[in-house]
Amino acid sequence: MTSYLHEDRLQAVLAAISASGARRVLDLGCGDGDLFVRLAAMPALDDLVGIDICAASLDRLRARLARITVAAGKVDVRHGSMTDPARDLAGYDCAVLLETIEHIDPDQLSRLERALFTVLRARTIIITTPNAEFNPLLGVPAHRMRHPDHRFEWDRARFRIWCARAAKAAGYAAVFHDIAGAHPTLGGASQMAVFTRPAG
């Protein structure tokens, strides 16, 4: 994906996190840390945890963090799976999955749903994923996906069906946004769902 679309996506997620008022954030599937390093520099956040299953990506993230000023004890980078999260991560203000859900095998989506909405149960959950409808504008052939590690890519209707069902089952409300560019009929290069649950 082009760099300006990537930047648009990052800005949309940062804005959603800020709007949520979160002070404790989980970055699930943090990878090399394009979002994480920006969050680490935000003074409004008190506690930031990044989880990824790829040790090499986490090494690159730690190297990036070493080059910026971060308050002591503010960040924690862990090797682990978002489908089987540590119990001490439950109850954070916000959990973010930035372009990660599509890397999970479809038969593992029920485990991810349980991890997000039952185990972690953050007050706000933000999920972004590629919008398959936009692929022709990126030159992606109809029989291929954007990245060889993608297990699926959903159009907007399919994404909204999955999110709406998961939200209803867990007592969350979901709001949807086209992000990373815009097309009058094809939407954005990515799509975002912001889930919120009532206080209490």
Side-chain angles (χ1 to χ4, degrees):
M1 187 175 294
T2 58
S3 59
Y4 84 90
L5 293 175
H6 185 53
E7 181 63 27
D8 281 355
R9 186 170 59 232
L10 289 169
Q11 291 301 323
V13 171
L14 289 167
I17 294 170
S18 294
S20 76
R23 301 192 68 86
R24 303 174 69 232
V25 175
L26 303 175
D27 185 354
L28 302 175
C30 59
D32 296 357
D34 285 352
L35 177 66
F36 195 90
V37 294
R38 297 181 188 218
L39 292 172
M42 289 174 60
L45 298 186
D46 298 326
D47 186 1
L48 175 62
V49 180
I51 306 291
D52 204 278
I53 202 165
C54 176
S57 292
L58 293 177
D59 287 343
R60 291 189 290 270
L61 171 54
R62 291 185 183 100
R64 293 177 75 176
L65 289 170
R67 296 193 292 268
I68 65 174
T69 301
V70 180
K74 177 176 178 174
V75 302
D76 183 9
V77 175
R78 302 186 188 183
H79 183 260
S81 169
M82 70 180 76
T83 60
D84 188 23
R87 298 280 175 167
D88 67 320
L89 299 178
Y92 269 60
D93 297 331
C94 183
V96 182
L97 289 81
L98 174 67
E99 308 290 295
T100 58
I101 189 173
E102 64 276 4
H103 293 270
I104 295 173
D105 287 326
D107 64 2
Q108 295 296 305
L109 285 174
S110 60
R111 290 187 64 197
L112 175 66
E113 183 179 335
R114 181 180 179 278
L116 288 177
F117 296 102
T118 302
V119 178
L120 294 176
R121 202 158 174 79
R123 189 180 71 234
T124 300
I125 298 170
I126 300 168
I127 299 177
T128 79
T129 191
N131 168 23
E133 297 166 73
F134 201 88
N135 283 355
L137 300 181
L138 300 173
V140 179
H143 62 285
R144 295 183 60 185
M145 288 183 276
R146 293 185 199 175
H147 190 280
D149 191 51
H150 287 184
R151 302 299 193 260
F152 62 88
E153 289 178 358
W154 282 337
D155 61 23
R156 288 172 293 169
R158 182 67 186 83
F159 179 59
R160 292 180 183 208
I161 289 169
W162 186 86
C163 291
R165 185 199 51 73
K168 182 178 180 180
Y172 282 74
V175 176
F176 303 96
H177 306 272
D178 292 328
I179 61 172
H183 184 277
T185 58
L186 301 178
S190 290
Q191 48 193 329
M192 178 170 70
V194 179
F195 302 83
T196 55
R197 63 174 172 81

